[in-house]
Amino acid sequence: MIQLINLTKQYRQITAVDHLHLTVRKGVRFAFLGPNGAGKTTTIKMMAGVLRPTAGRVIIDGHDLAASPAAVKQCIGFIPDRPYLYEKLTGLEFLQFVAGLYGLDRSSLLRKRMEGLLSLFELEQWEDELIESYSHGMKQRLVMCAALVHQPKVLIVDEPMVGLDPKGARLVKDLFREQASNGTTLFMSTHSLEVAEEVCEEIAIIQAGRIIASGTPEELRKQAGMDGKLEDVFLRLTQEVGLAGPA
């Protein structure tokens, strides 16, 4: 479902993402972990078409992003770490605007889907209020509604729990599991090792723009040569690569 082939992003003398190779199968809940500055958000922005790679390819649902950007964007839902919204629109108007970008007809079925999403994220009583009056957490939930309105095959998510209260965070975790059970592929970048282990089946750890380990949580424990918390495994793996220096 997702293939990253030799994906690279350079900023002058800095290589943010370094010849990344990665495959994520359909319906898998996948976590992308790494220290600050490791290249997680840069990778996600290239996958979403926000940044142009220096080299390499992004293939999603069989479509090459460089050759068929509209086809790729039609099948993905992108949830950034910071919500960027048109704050002079109401919540419902924003969803209608996003639906129009995807070419969805303004049918009773679409209206029902939007109302269902607003209700799911407990925003229905705010749907006719201007977004500028929303809290940060409410804005984040509205962005999630917008990412789901066209029923994407792939969800690309950067730090999904930022700004959410515990109830909202639990809702999002359950939603991700439900989406994956229906065949949606989840690619989630997070700093939270607890969230990664609770939600995702497969994990890759990136450091200095390169993937240093990948697999299920149990496979990562074997690679680190230790049992215990994923936090300890993560620290062991990233420390070992740091001590070894660049390849």
Side-chain angles (χ1 to χ4, degrees):
M1 180 56 72
I2 299 173
Q3 288 181 281
L4 308 182
I5 303 170
N6 198 39
L7 194 63
T8 303
K9 183 63 179 179
Q10 292 180 312
Y11 298 97
R12 296 186 179 180
Q13 302 302 315
I14 298 173
T15 301
V17 176
D18 191 0
H19 300 89
L20 211 64
H21 290 270
L22 185 64
T23 299
V24 182
R25 294 170 290 110
K26 179 180 179 181
V28 168
R29 302 187 306 274
F30 185 89
F32 205 40
L33 300 177
N36 290 332
K40 300 186 302 297
T41 295
T42 300
T43 300
I44 276 186
K45 286 183 176 179
M46 287 191 286
M47 292 172 62
V50 178
L51 282 178
R52 186 188 299 273
T54 305
R57 302 169 67 195
V58 174
I59 300 174
I60 296 179
D61 194 31
H63 303 289
D64 189 305
L65 179 59
S68 305
V72 170
K73 292 178 183 180
Q74 190 73 32
C75 72
I76 67 172
F78 177 44
I79 303 173
D81 58 340
R82 297 179 184 178
Y84 295 100
L85 301 161
Y86 296 105
E87 299 206 341
K88 294 301 182 183
L89 296 178
T90 67
L92 182 58
E93 287 171 342
F94 180 71
L95 291 188
Q96 290 170 337
F97 169 74
V98 171
L101 293 177
Y102 286 106
L104 302 179
D105 294 331
R106 290 199 176 189
S107 62
S108 58
L109 182 61
L110 175 62
R111 174 73 189 217
K112 185 177 180 180
R113 187 188 309 159
M114 291 190 294
E115 289 178 346
L117 287 167
L118 289 167
S119 176
L120 175 66
F121 286 97
E122 299 183 346
L123 293 172
E124 69 273 22
Q125 63 179 331
W126 296 87
E127 68 177 40
D128 294 320
E129 300 295 328
L130 294 180
I131 295 170
E132 65 184 6
S133 68
Y134 286 20
S135 68
H136 178 82
M138 291 167 65
K139 290 176 181 177
Q140 189 71 357
R141 282 182 275 145
L142 183 61
V143 167
M144 293 185 186
C145 289
L148 294 168
V149 74
H150 62 298
Q151 298 177 310
K153 296 179 180 180
V154 176
L155 266 178
I156 300 173
V157 189
D158 195 4
E159 295 295 344
M161 306 306 168
V162 173
L164 297 180
D165 59 22
K167 183 178 180 181
R170 173 53 59 89
L171 170 66
V172 170
K173 292 174 189 176
D174 291 343
L175 175 69
F176 287 162
R177 294 190 192 96
E178 180 184 355
Q179 290 287 313
S181 69
N182 293 329
T184 302
T185 305
L186 173 68
F187 190 103
M188 178 179 69
S189 168
T190 179
H191 282 100
S192 173
L193 298 164
E194 179 183 353
V195 169
E197 188 162 25
E198 185 177 350
V199 174
C200 295
E201 306 156 278
E202 297 182 9
I203 297 169
I205 298 175
I206 182 173
Q207 186 171 14
R210 297 182 180 183
I211 291 178
I212 60 170
S214 63
T216 65
E218 282 307 311
E219 288 169 342
L220 291 178
R221 290 184 175 95
K222 289 181 181 178
Q223 290 177 53
M226 62 185 299
D227 294 321
K229 295 180 180 179
L230 186 59
E231 178 182 10
D232 296 328
V233 172
F234 173 86
L235 292 173
R236 168 73 65 84
L237 291 170
T238 53
Q239 182 183 40
E240 286 178 353
V241 171
L243 291 173

